[in-house]
Every structure is written in C-alpha cells, then in structure tokens.
Amino acid sequence: MINPVLLIVIPLLLAFVGVMFKNFSKSLLFFGLVLNTIFVFFVQKGSYELGGWQPPFGINLLVDNYSFFGIILINVLFLVSSLIGMKKIGKYSLPLLISLAGLNGMVLTNDLFNFYVFFEIATISAYIISTLHGKYHHTFNYLVLGSVGSSLYLLGIIIVYAVVGSLNMSDLSVHFSELSQNIQLIVSILIFSGLAVEAKLIPFNSWVRGIYSNVNTLTAPLFSAVYASTIFLVFGRFFSNLITVSGPLFNIFIAITFITFIFAETSATATKNMREILTFSSIGQAGLITGLFLIGGGYAAVLQLINNAFAKLVMFSTAANVYENNSSDSIDKAAGIFRKYPLVGFGFTVSALSLIGLPLFYGFYAKFNIINTAFNINWIIPLVILLGSLLEGVYYIRMLVKLWVPGEEHEEATEKLTTKFSMNKLFVISVVAVVVGFLFIMGGIYPELFGDFVQNVSTPLKESLSYLSVGVM
C-alpha cells in the first residue's frame, strides 16, 4: 500500500529536480502526474503520523472516505487538465508540480497550521499560473485579496491555538463547541472569511471575473475544476466536522452563500461571452455548494461538487479553445460551431443540461437531492435554489441553441450560416467531452451507480474526526 505523504513529496521532489534539469521539466511534470494518479488508488485509509510524534503533539495526515475521494478527484482532474492544456504549459511545469503538492496537502492534512502552509503553497502557485493570460493587473488583484484571505485564516487559527492549545483538527472537532460563544463567533468569522476568498463568495470574490474570464486551455480546467473542487472539499470539512455555526451567524453565512448563488446566476443571463457566462456559473455553483455544506447537506453537496467539476472541465476547456483559435468567445460569432464539432458539442451540451438538472442526466439526481435537503431547513432556501436553477436554464439553453443553430430566429439553419470560427487541437477535449457526457447520461439513468459511493464519501462529514489506525477502514 502507498503512504499518502508520497502524493505531496513526489511533486515537490520532481519540482526540485526540474530546477536543475529545466529542459526535462515538462517530462518530469507528466511523470509526476501519472505516478500520483496511479499511487492515489493504492493509498490505505487511516491516520499517518509524520516525524514519529503522535497527534495531537505531532502532525498527521488523515485518510478517511472523504479525503480519499478528494485526493482521487484532485489528481485525476489535474492530470486531465494538464493533458488538455499541454501546449500552454511551457515554463510553468514547476509551479504546476508545486501546486499539485499543495492541493493534495490541503485535503490530507489533519492540522490547521499545516493546512495554512499547503494553502499558501497552492495559492502562490495559482498566482504564478494565472500570469499565463498576460493580464498582470488581474493577477495582482487576485494576489492582494488572496493574501487578505490567508491572513484572516491565520489570525483565526492563532486564536484557536491560544485558547485550545492544539491545532489538531480532530481535537478541534471535539472541543470547538466547548469554547466560549465569543471565541466561537470570532474564529468562525475569520476562518469563513479566509476560505470565502478562494471559494468565490460575495463580497470576497472581486478577483474571480478577471482571472476566470481570461483563462486558456490550461488554466480553464485547472481553476474551474481542480482548484474549485479542492476549496469546496476543504470548506465542507471545516464547516461540517470542525466548526459548528448557529443562530444569527448561521443565518448570515447562509445568506452570503445563497445571495452569491442568485446574484451570479442573474449576472450570467446578461452576458454573451462563453467564458464570462461560465465564470458567473462557477460563482453561482460555489454559493450553492458551500450553502449546502453549511446546512448539513454533505451528501447533496458532494453530488453537486462532482457535477460541477466535470461539467466545467468540459465547458471551460471548450470555451477557452474557441477563444484561442478565434480571439473571441462571443456566442453570436460562434453560432453553429457545434455543427462542425459534434463530439465536443455533445459533451458540452450534456454537461450544461446536467448542470441545469434536467431528467435523464446525472444532475437531475443531484438537483433532486439538493431540493430535498433544502426542504428540511425551511421553504425559502428551496425556492431560492429553484429560482437560480431557472435562471441557469435560461442562459444555458440560450447558449446551446446559438452554438448548435446558426442564423436568426425562424431562419432555416444551413451550413452557409455556420460560423467560420474553428477549434483546433481538439483530440483530448473531444475524448474528455465524450467520456464525461456518457458518464452524465449513465448517472442519470442509473443514479444508484453513484448514490452509494457518494453516501460513503459524505458519511465522515456527520461525525467528529478521530485518529484512525492504519488499516481499520
């Protein structure tokens, strides 16, 4: 069996080797990605002590069903994202390797300060990778806000350490409710605010539009699928296992997440560029998924997290490819482009319909469970979710019709009207689009294929964290 620390050490070691052998850095990147993706399936669940010190005095990695799913998702998506954006990697191989190490560490660690270290590693790598689009003022904005978020989180865990005397997450999951109300309030606000920057929640998300709306075929799937999924998983861990929020603060946090959802979905209806629409959709999904974690709907949140990750992988990659080949991703100018590239159009269409939550697609099962979970809280939240889903349906259906059917309304669609836009280097995107489209359809027809799996993944979110002995699960 594989020790999970290798998922962090291997990318870091290869990045160090890459500094000395720069000509081989791209080969080292793909060697590390493939090795990590293979190793991750052989990781044994349990608690892994680092340095021979037992927790809570020493640092440990925790692999339960939730974090095991997290590292599989991260490493598979990272490999696929890098394959899609292979031509764009250039000199960014080393930041990508360091980024992978940081993201794996964020999900695996059972220590709050260690999490901060991995969080910083992953976000600093993200700042560097975001410079690929050449619009450095957006990266600077991202860096400033990201630094503020990291500082707020750090201040929160300093207070925790001063009061509890430990930064072990298993300890905090047991002792947090025993802290005074004022300490709980301050720590909750600081950690929520710190994570909300990367989770794209209002009012901490002003960096998102500049970064996401200018992504290319490498950064599009990397940010929208890999980074987004990681921060959602972390948010779920923190606000399900560690921090209990109640009363007026709970209402404020819930309001922030669902205002983010509605505001973003409304904004998406007012734009006509593919990447901008997907940017607002990503912000909306961030509000929905984090809101579900807050209300205790871990099962529904994980269902939607999977739905969003794979749908955005296909849709953002397609939109970035359209822009790279035509210097525009306007829906009007790209009208009819899927008639020329039906395989990509199939994957894009199925992904969009799954995100909307239409029957016969995986997203319908996810949306059904989301509404069902929300009704257990009150009747307002499900209404908000239904309204957001309706807005989502409006802009996605409008975009799909335009991308499949060229010409004006009531005008017969012909090949002559099809856009002159092109999409090149499509092999990997086409394969990914077909595979993801097929899985979404299978998940819609046979939801039980995924239901039991997601149930096992989300079960640890209902329990306090404990030090698992290696091999007991």
Side-chain angles (χ1 to χ4, degrees):
M1 301 306 288
I2 299 295
N3 189 318
V5 76
L6 290 176
L7 302 178
I8 302 167
V9 170
I10 288 173
L12 289 178
L13 182 62
L14 291 174
F16 178 73
V17 174
V19 172
M20 295 183 285
F21 303 98
K22 291 183 179 177
N23 291 337
F24 298 98
S25 59
K26 196 169 179 180
S27 301
L28 291 170
L29 168 66
F30 280 100
F31 176 69
L33 291 175
V34 171
L35 203 60
N36 259 31
T37 306
I38 294 172
F39 279 3
V40 75
F41 289 98
F42 295 96
V43 169
Q44 189 176 16
K45 295 166 191 168
S47 175
Y48 293 80
E49 299 163 9
L50 304 181
W53 292 83
Q54 291 186 349
F57 305 106
I59 294 171
N60 72 312
L61 303 181
L62 180 64
V63 185
D64 57 9
N65 287 342
Y66 188 69
S67 54
F68 184 60
F69 160 73
I71 53 177
I72 290 176
L73 188 71
I74 289 168
N75 286 276
V76 170
L77 288 177
F78 208 111
L79 175 61
V80 175
S81 301
S82 300
L83 288 172
I84 291 174
M86 191 184 304
K87 299 290 182 184
K88 292 288 179 182
I89 290 175
K91 59 184 179 182
Y92 288 82
S93 298
L94 303 187
L96 287 168
L97 280 166
I98 296 171
S99 163
L100 179 63
L103 294 170
N104 279 328
M106 285 170 63
V107 173
L108 285 170
T109 185
N110 194 35
D111 181 273
L112 290 174
F113 183 75
N114 219 23
F115 171 82
Y116 171 73
V117 174
F118 288 125
F119 188 50
E120 283 291 282
I121 290 173
T123 50
I124 290 172
S125 303
Y127 304 147
I128 297 171
I129 296 167
S130 71
T131 59
L132 261 167
H133 57 48
K135 298 180 179 177
Y136 302 113
H137 60 289
H138 293 314
T139 298
F140 180 73
N141 186 31
Y142 180 23
L143 188 152
V144 171
L145 287 170
S147 300
V148 171
S150 299
S151 302
L152 292 173
Y153 171 83
L154 182 61
L155 184 57
I157 65 169
I158 288 173
I159 295 173
V160 169
Y161 186 72
V163 176
V164 180
S166 168
L167 291 176
N168 188 279
M169 291 161 74
S170 297
D171 270 5
L172 185 62
S173 72
V174 174
H175 297 297
F176 186 80
S177 59
E178 299 169 2
L179 303 178
S180 71
Q181 290 295 319
N182 288 338
I183 295 295
Q184 287 189 36
L185 182 73
I186 294 169
V187 170
S188 300
I189 291 173
L190 289 172
I191 291 182
F192 178 88
S193 304
L195 297 180
V197 175
E198 289 297 327
K200 304 187 284 289
L201 300 180
I202 288 175
F204 310 97
N205 62 358
S206 61
W207 62 272
V208 180
R209 194 172 178 185
I211 298 295
Y212 273 55
S213 298
N214 292 289
V215 288
N216 57 34
T217 44
L218 174 63
T219 54
L222 199 62
F223 285 152
S224 65
V226 186
Y227 267 88
S229 299
T230 306
I231 197 66
F232 296 156
L233 286 165
V234 167
F235 192 95
R237 174 71 89 191
F238 273 66
F239 286 92
S240 298
N241 291 125
L242 309 184
I243 299 173
T244 306
V245 185
S246 59
L249 187 61
F250 173 77
N251 294 331
I252 292 171
F253 285 178
I254 287 294
I256 287 174
T257 57
F258 285 102
I259 287 173
T260 301
F261 176 55
I262 286 297
F263 178 79
E265 299 295 0
T266 305
S267 301
T269 62
T271 182
K272 292 187 175 180
N273 291 324
M274 294 174 72
R275 291 180 302 170
E276 279 206 347
I277 290 174
L278 295 173
T279 297
F280 285 120
S281 171
S282 296
I283 296 173
Q285 291 299 318
L288 176 61
I289 293 169
T290 52
L292 289 168
F293 277 124
L294 283 173
I295 63 175
Y299 177 69
V302 174
L303 283 173
Q304 188 63 10
L305 187 155
I306 296 171
N307 193 22
N308 179 65
F310 286 96
K312 290 292 161 53
L313 181 76
V314 172
M315 298 170 76
F316 249 121
S317 301
T318 304
N321 192 292
V322 169
Y323 179 80
E324 286 176 8
N325 287 285
N326 308 283
S327 300
S328 171
D329 58 349
S330 164
I331 297 174
D332 290 334
K333 292 180 180 177
I337 196 168
F338 286 160
R339 291 167 70 97
K340 297 197 306 190
Y341 306 96
L343 291 180
V344 177
F346 163 76
F348 191 99
T349 303
V350 172
S351 298
L353 297 179
S354 186
L355 267 183
I356 296 169
L358 292 185
L360 297 181
F361 300 101
Y362 166 81
F364 174 74
Y365 179 67
K367 199 60 72 80
F368 175 80
N369 278 279
I370 289 170
I371 300 294
N372 200 31
T373 301
F375 265 118
N376 292 328
I377 303 300
N378 56 42
W379 58 270
I380 299 176
I381 293 179
L383 284 182
V384 171
I385 294 173
L386 287 171
L387 175 60
S389 300
L390 181 63
L391 293 168
E392 199 171 36
V394 168
Y395 66 75
Y396 272 140
I397 296 295
R398 185 184 65 186
M399 179 162 65
L400 291 176
V401 169
K402 204 71 178 176
L403 295 176
W404 278 105
V405 184
E408 300 298 325
E409 194 174 357
H410 306 305
E411 187 177 10
E412 184 180 355
T414 64
E415 291 303 322
K416 286 185 179 179
L417 292 173
T418 301
T419 179
K420 294 181 181 177
F421 272 18
S422 64
M423 288 194 284
N424 296 327
K425 303 163 188 170
L426 271 177
F427 177 73
V428 178
I429 296 179
S430 300
V431 171
V432 173
V434 170
V435 171
V436 170
F438 176 74
L439 289 175
F440 276 151
I441 293 173
M442 288 296 294
I445 298 173
Y446 304 106
E448 62 274 11
L449 291 176
F450 299 94
D452 291 342
F453 168 73
V454 175
Q455 191 67 57
N456 289 331
V457 168
S458 60
T459 297
L461 297 176
K462 302 173 184 174
E463 305 161 351
S464 295
L465 294 178
S466 59
Y467 310 116
L468 301 169
S469 300
V470 174
V472 297
M473 292 187 67

Coordinates of all heavy atoms in Angstrom, one line a residue, residues 76-86 89 217-223 225-226 313 317:
V76 N -6.8 13.0 -10.6 CA -7.3 12.7 -11.9 C -7.6 14.0 -12.7 O -7.2 14.1 -13.8 CB -8.6 11.8 -11.7 CG1 -9.3 11.7 -13.1 CG2 -8.2 10.5 -11.2
L77 N -8.3 14.9 -12.0 CA -8.6 16.2 -12.7 C -7.4 17.0 -13.1 O -7.3 17.6 -14.2 CB -9.6 17.0 -11.9 CG -11.0 16.6 -11.7 CD1 -11.7 17.5 -10.7 CD2 -11.7 16.5 -13.0
F78 N -6.4 16.9 -12.3 CA -5.1 17.7 -12.5 C -4.5 17.1 -13.8 O -4.0 17.8 -14.6 CB -4.2 17.6 -11.3 CG -3.3 18.8 -11.2 CD1 -3.4 19.7 -10.2 CD2 -2.2 18.9 -12.1 CE1 -2.6 20.8 -10.1 CE2 -1.4 20.0 -12.0 CZ -1.5 20.9 -11.0
L79 N -4.4 15.7 -13.8 CA -3.8 15.1 -15.0 C -4.6 15.4 -16.3 O -3.9 15.8 -17.3 CB -3.8 13.5 -14.8 CG -3.3 12.7 -15.9 CD1 -1.8 13.0 -16.3 CD2 -3.4 11.2 -15.6
V80 N -5.9 15.3 -16.2 CA -6.7 15.6 -17.4 C -6.5 17.1 -17.8 O -6.4 17.4 -19.0 CB -8.2 15.2 -17.2 CG1 -9.0 15.6 -18.4 CG2 -8.3 13.7 -16.9
S81 N -6.5 17.9 -16.9 CA -6.4 19.4 -17.2 C -5.1 19.7 -17.8 O -5.0 20.5 -18.8 CB -6.5 20.2 -15.9 OG -7.7 20.0 -15.2
S82 N -4.0 19.0 -17.4 CA -2.7 19.2 -17.9 C -2.6 18.7 -19.3 O -1.9 19.3 -20.2 CB -1.6 18.6 -17.0 OG -1.6 19.2 -15.8
L83 N -3.3 17.6 -19.6 CA -3.3 17.0 -21.0 C -4.0 17.9 -21.9 O -3.6 18.1 -23.1 CB -4.0 15.6 -20.9 CG -3.1 14.5 -20.3 CD1 -4.0 13.2 -20.2 CD2 -1.9 14.2 -21.1
I84 N -5.2 18.5 -21.4 CA -5.9 19.4 -22.3 C -5.1 20.6 -22.6 O -5.1 21.1 -23.8 CB -7.2 19.8 -21.6 CG1 -8.2 18.6 -21.5 CG2 -7.9 21.0 -22.3 CD1 -9.4 18.9 -20.7
G85 N -4.4 21.2 -21.6 CA -3.6 22.4 -21.9 C -2.1 22.2 -22.1 O -1.3 23.1 -21.8
M86 N -1.8 21.0 -22.6 CA -0.4 20.6 -22.8 C 0.4 21.7 -23.5 O 1.6 22.0 -23.1 CB -0.3 19.3 -23.5 CG 1.1 18.7 -23.5 SD 1.2 17.2 -24.5 CE -0.1 16.2 -23.8
I89 N 1.7 24.7 -21.3 CA 2.4 24.6 -20.1 C 3.7 25.3 -20.1 O 4.1 26.1 -19.2 CB 2.7 23.0 -19.9 CG1 1.4 22.3 -19.5 CG2 3.7 22.9 -18.7 CD1 1.5 20.9 -19.4
T217 N -6.6 27.2 -22.3 CA -7.0 25.8 -22.3 C -6.3 25.0 -21.1 O -6.7 23.9 -20.8 CB -6.6 25.0 -23.6 OG1 -5.3 25.5 -24.0 CG2 -7.7 25.3 -24.6
L218 N -5.2 25.6 -20.5 CA -4.6 25.0 -19.3 C -5.3 25.5 -18.1 O -5.7 24.8 -17.2 CB -3.1 25.4 -19.3 CG -2.4 24.9 -18.0 CD1 -2.4 23.4 -17.9 CD2 -0.9 25.4 -18.0
T219 N -5.4 26.9 -17.9 CA -5.9 27.4 -16.7 C -7.4 27.2 -16.5 O -7.9 27.2 -15.4 CB -5.5 28.9 -16.6 OG1 -6.0 29.6 -17.7 CG2 -4.0 29.1 -16.4
A220 N -8.1 27.1 -17.6 CA -9.6 27.0 -17.6 C -10.0 25.7 -16.8 O -10.7 25.8 -15.7 CB -10.2 26.9 -19.0
P221 N -9.6 24.5 -17.2 CA -9.9 23.3 -16.4 C -9.2 23.3 -15.0 O -9.8 22.8 -14.0 CB -9.5 22.2 -17.3 CG -8.4 22.7 -18.1 CD -8.8 24.1 -18.4
L222 N -8.0 23.9 -15.0 CA -7.3 23.8 -13.7 C -8.0 24.6 -12.6 O -8.2 24.1 -11.5 CB -5.9 24.4 -13.9 CG -4.8 24.0 -12.9 CD1 -4.6 22.5 -12.8 CD2 -3.5 24.7 -13.2
F223 N -8.4 25.8 -12.9 CA -9.0 26.7 -11.9 C -10.5 26.3 -11.7 O -10.9 26.2 -10.5 CB -9.0 28.1 -12.3 CG -7.6 28.8 -12.2 CD1 -7.2 29.8 -13.0 CD2 -6.7 28.3 -11.3 CE1 -6.0 30.4 -12.9 CE2 -5.5 28.9 -11.1 CZ -5.1 29.9 -11.9
A225 N -12.1 23.4 -12.3 CA -12.4 22.1 -11.8 C -11.5 21.7 -10.6 O -12.0 21.3 -9.6 CB -12.2 21.1 -13.0
V226 N -10.2 21.8 -10.8 CA -9.3 21.3 -9.7 C -9.3 22.2 -8.5 O -9.6 21.8 -7.4 CB -7.9 21.2 -10.3 CG1 -7.0 20.5 -9.2 CG2 -7.9 20.3 -11.6
L313 N -15.0 21.2 -16.4 CA -13.8 20.7 -17.1 C -14.1 20.7 -18.6 O -13.2 21.2 -19.4 CB -13.5 19.3 -16.6 CG -12.3 18.6 -17.2 CD1 -11.0 19.1 -16.6 CD2 -12.4 17.1 -17.0
S317 N -13.0 24.3 -21.0 CA -11.9 23.9 -21.9 C -12.4 24.2 -23.3 O -11.6 24.7 -24.2 CB -11.6 22.4 -21.8 OG -11.2 22.1 -20.5

